[in-house]
Structure formats: structure tokens, C-alpha cells
Amino acid sequence: SQNLTKVDNIIKSYPNVSSIEELAKKIDYDFSTKIEKARAAYTWLALNISYKKNELLKSTEMIVSFSKDDLERRKKYLEKIRKEKITNSTFNSRNGVCEGYALIFKRLCDLLTIENDLIKGYAKTLPNEIIYIIKRMS
């Protein structure tokens, strides 16, 4: 077991950082183990990003394609752009929802060469929601 209080205290003293890349460089410089770096990324997020409640779902987009392969390529590209927008918006505004936190943490881990996977899911806050499966329209 490690005492990570030192990591938390160092992160609390970080000045405002202007980019995710700058934050990753600072974490990489100040900490040596992957556990310390992951804790630093987590602590920075917890201290600096506020949770934005009641985020409304956005409308769907129309994609024009010329083949199934073209459609898949366009969908992947649009998903990449969407994730970049959420990541940057959450970081710059210092508030967001679960996906924003997760995408920033993933980006930091990628920059710090910490193996990670982004796992999608749904939040359920009431016991009677447990039996329902959310279906996503494609």
C-alpha cells in the first residue's frame, strides 16, 4: 500500500494549466511511478473539474455516405471529433459530465503511457432503474 497524500498535496499546489498536454508534462516531471501519475491525474480532475448536472442530450446528425465502408469511416471520424470536442470543452470550461471526466483521464493516461481502456456505461441512480436496459438508437 502506498501513501498517496504526498501526490495529492503536490497536485493541490499546481498553478492553472492551460492544456491537457501541459498538465501531463507536469505530472510526468513531478512523479515517477504509474500509480503516482494515475493518482495525480485523478486528483487534478477531482479538484479542478466541476460536475455539470442536467446535461441535455444533443440531437442526432445526418451522415451522407456512398458505401457501407464510407459510412463506417465517416462515423468513426465524427465520433473522434465529438470526443475531442467534449474533452476540450470540459477541460477549458472546468465543468462537464461523466464522459468529459473519463475522456480527460484517458487522454492524460495516454500521454503518460499508462495502459487504459474507456468503458462506456449508464448511470442508474434509483433501485427500480436496475432492471431496465437502455437501448441506444443508431
Side-chain angles (χ1 to χ4, degrees):
S1 143
Q2 279 192 324
N3 182 356
L4 298 171
T5 306
K6 176 185 160 198
V7 173
D8 295 344
N9 289 333
I10 291 171
I11 288 297
K12 287 177 189 175
S13 71
Y14 272 21
N16 286 337
V17 289
S18 60
S19 71
I20 296 171
E21 292 75 16
E22 179 187 348
L23 177 59
K25 284 179 186 175
K26 198 153 183 46
I27 289 171
D28 198 40
Y29 179 80
D30 287 341
F31 305 104
S32 55
T33 70
K34 291 186 187 276
I35 290 173
E36 290 174 335
K37 291 175 185 185
R39 176 59 178 234
Y42 162 81
T43 301
W44 189 91
L45 281 165
L47 294 174
N48 292 282
I49 306 292
S50 299
Y51 190 80
K52 184 187 341 179
K53 294 182 180 180
N54 299 326
E55 181 76 7
L56 297 175
L57 294 175
K58 303 217 167 49
S59 63
T60 58
E61 296 177 357
M62 184 172 77
I63 302 172
V64 177
S65 64
F66 301 101
S67 67
K68 285 184 179 182
D69 289 339
D70 184 44
L71 176 61
E72 288 307 311
R73 183 185 58 77
R74 289 173 190 255
K75 283 169 51 176
K76 284 180 184 177
Y77 174 75
L78 288 174
E79 181 65 10
K80 179 183 175 200
I81 296 298
R82 186 188 72 78
K83 285 180 178 180
E84 287 174 5
K85 282 183 180 178
I86 292 170
T87 304
N88 293 331
S89 173
T90 301
F91 185 86
N92 293 331
S93 69
R94 299 295 199 260
N95 65 60
V97 293
C98 304
E99 188 174 20
Y101 280 88
L103 289 169
I104 292 173
F105 189 78
K106 178 172 184 22
R107 180 77 178 123
L108 285 168
C109 287
D110 289 346
L111 291 167
L112 296 166
T113 64
I114 297 172
E115 186 177 342
N116 68 89
D117 286 312
L118 186 63
I119 300 171
K120 291 186 177 189
Y122 298 97
K124 296 181 180 185
T125 58
L126 300 172
N128 64 342
E129 293 176 338
I130 293 171
I131 61 170
Y132 297 106
I133 298 173
I134 299 172
K135 293 183 180 178
R136 185 173 179 181
M137 301 291 281
S138 299

